[in-house]
Amino acid sequence: MSTADIIKKCKTNNRKAQMQLYKQYCNGMYCVAMRFLKNEDDAEDVVQEAFINAFEKIHQYRGEVTFGAWLKKIVVHKCLDFIKIKKDKYVALTETNLRVVEDDDWLVEDTVTLQQIKFAIAQLPSKYQCVVQLYLIEGYDHSETSGILDITESACRTRLLRGKGLLKELLKEKRYGTGS
């Protein structure tokens, strides 16, 4: 059965179809939540809430984007809401590889390790950290990021530029031994 068929059944509140859709997407959405929350229990809770929310609002899904992209946006929103509630200032990156960005401004020295990059991103102020993570790790563009964070595209671009600058400085300090 295709995903479109499963979604049609979910729109009629078919529990078997909901379980099928859940099984199809739960692992991927859990990975997204873990990148933001760094805690397995919190990630599981947020994913559960996201699926509940998705099934309640599935009639709003129009098929303009893939179901996975639609669901991922819900998961990201839930993660950001969770972080705001907990007033957690750090977003852990548990991803072992970063997406390659076609932007020369993101290039770093070959000697910089992934662990150093993760640590440096975690040191950014949260308003820059979220934008950098959504752009660099999750692959959202400025329009999508601004929609998720409920800020203007101009503010999104500014935060990304400033976050990128701070990230480079943190990595430079590490390289020259003036950092921690």
Side-chain angles (χ1 to χ4, degrees), residues 41-171:
D41 294 330
D42 293 341
E44 286 175 5
D45 290 345
V46 165
V47 169
Q48 284 299 115
E49 287 179 31
F51 270 100
I52 291 168
N53 189 262
F55 290 137
E56 288 173 349
K57 298 182 185 274
I58 199 154
H59 62 281
Q60 295 176 1
Y61 175 69
R62 303 279 183 241
E64 296 163 350
V65 296
T66 65
F67 181 78
W70 184 77
L71 182 60
K72 182 178 179 181
K73 189 171 182 178
I74 293 171
V75 172
V76 168
H77 276 287
K78 291 287 183 187
C79 287
L80 294 175
D81 290 345
F82 184 86
I83 291 168
K84 286 177 191 172
I85 289 169
K86 298 267 281 190
K87 295 186 177 152
D88 191 354
K89 293 189 177 194
Y90 298 102
V91 176
L93 300 177
T94 57
E95 189 69 25
T96 56
N97 56 359
L98 297 176
R99 165 176 85 77
V100 175
V101 177
E102 300 291 328
D103 181 353
D104 289 343
D105 289 348
W106 286 105
L107 296 177
V108 295
E109 296 288 326
D110 288 341
T111 58
V112 176
T113 66
L114 178 61
Q115 198 60 30
Q116 290 170 323
I117 293 170
K118 289 179 185 180
F119 182 77
I121 291 174
Q123 302 309 304
L124 294 174
S126 62
K127 69 180 180 178
Y128 302 138
Q129 189 181 76
C130 286
V131 173
V132 168
Q133 182 166 347
L134 287 169
Y135 181 81
L136 184 63
I137 306 300
E138 301 301 331
Y140 287 109
D141 63 21
H142 294 294
S143 173
E144 294 166 323
T145 300
S146 63
I148 289 169
L149 297 176
D150 198 26
I151 59 175
T152 65
E153 279 191 49
S154 174
C156 178
R157 289 178 194 282
T158 300
R159 287 183 185 184
L160 182 63
L161 183 65
R162 290 179 181 164
K164 186 189 318 181
L166 288 172
L167 183 61
K168 283 183 161 193
E169 286 302 313
L170 288 168
L171 292 170

